[in-house]
Amino acid sequence: MDGKAWFTVAVIVALGLAIAAAVLFVRVLKTRRLLVDSGIPLRDKALFWVAVIYTVSPADLIPDPVYLDDIGVLLLALRSLQAAAAAARPAKGPDGV
């Protein structure tokens, strides 16, 4: 493979990672309604904001053409919020009280 082919592959991989990060970011933002739920611990709510700030901040663990760290932080925040919401739902009872 010549240099142009490697560059094309690198651009495709970078675009794929950027799209994955954007999709995860949107999913995290959609779960923001969980932030007003009193049954979710403050730790999980703070993790949401940390993930959002980390994703949009220019300081990264890995330089921005590679979005693996952003994707990891967003996945962690999303899973944490969803797990906290799932744990809070059974405590409310079957009729929501």
Side-chain angles (χ1 to χ4, degrees), residues 46-73:
L47 185 59
F48 168 82
W49 291 112
V50 169
V52 170
I53 291 169
Y54 181 78
T55 301
V56 297
S57 75
D60 280 336
L61 295 174
I62 301 174
D64 260 342
V66 180
Y67 293 100
L68 292 177
D69 57 332
D70 296 328
I71 291 170
V73 170

Side-chain angles (χ1 to χ4, degrees), residues 16-63:
L17 289 173
I19 290 169
V23 167
L24 288 173
F25 185 68
V26 168
R27 286 182 63 192
V28 169
L29 289 178
K30 284 183 179 180
T31 60
R32 71 183 181 270
R33 63 181 168 77
L34 298 175
L35 295 175
V36 296
D37 189 350
S38 62
I40 297 177
L42 181 60
R43 173 184 53 91
D44 297 309
K45 293 177 183 181
L47 185 59
F48 168 82
W49 291 112
V50 169
V52 170
I53 291 169
Y54 181 78
T55 301
V56 297
S57 75
D60 280 336
L61 295 174
I62 301 174

